[in-house]
């Protein structure tokens, strides 16, 4: 486990572009004020749009089987419910 570098509030203010560029590239920081930790800057997790076939197959091996009749009944119930919605008028 890597330890996040600590930066002071003053560093964050004066080097904000450099620090935010580092966050954008995956670096995390612990922000301190008066020697006390007050927060963390962490990159947002980006959502993948593509999952390789092998990975999808591996994840699917343990997925529960789907009863197609129950699935279709659930879909029909949802459609019927939406048709009766007073908000769609």
């Amino acid at each position: 486990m890597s330890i996040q570098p600590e930066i002071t509030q003053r560093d964050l203010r004066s080097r904000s572009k450099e620090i935010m560029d580092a966050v954008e590239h995956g670096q995390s920081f612990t922000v301190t004020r008066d020697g006390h930790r007050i927060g963390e800057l962490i990159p947002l997790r980006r959502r993948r749009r593509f999952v390789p076939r092998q990975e999808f197959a591996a994840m699917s091996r343990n997925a529960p089987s789907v009863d197609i009749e129950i699935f279709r009944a659930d879909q029909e119930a949802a459609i019927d419910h939406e048709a009766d919605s007073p908000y769609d008028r």
Side-chain angles (χ1 to χ4, degrees):
M1 179 176 176
S2 65
I3 297 178
Q4 296 175 179
E6 289 189 358
I7 56 171
T8 65
Q9 179 181 0
R10 179 175 288 176
D11 282 339
L12 178 57
R13 188 171 47 245
S14 64
R15 299 174 36 222
S16 64
K17 181 187 181 333
E18 173 190 344
I19 291 167
M20 297 310 280
D21 286 346
V23 170
E24 185 176 27
H25 289 96
Q27 178 67 55
S28 298
F29 297 91
T30 299
V31 181
T32 63
R33 179 173 44 196
D34 299 325
H36 301 284
R37 293 185 197 180
I38 61 168
E40 293 179 310
L41 283 174
I42 58 171
L44 293 175
R45 196 173 109 192
R46 296 190 188 248
R47 189 177 217 178
R48 288 192 308 180
R49 294 179 181 252
F50 174 77
V51 177
R53 179 177 291 186
Q54 295 82 2
E55 187 176 337
F56 178 79
M59 291 185 309
S60 300
R61 280 189 204 108
N62 297 325
S65 60
V66 175
D67 182 317
I68 194 69
E69 296 303 320
I70 294 173
F71 178 73
R72 287 187 178 148
D74 286 346
Q75 285 183 317
E76 289 297 322
I79 291 170
D80 289 343
H81 177 70
E82 290 173 6
D84 295 335
S85 174
Y87 302 107
D88 291 335
R89 295 180 186 166

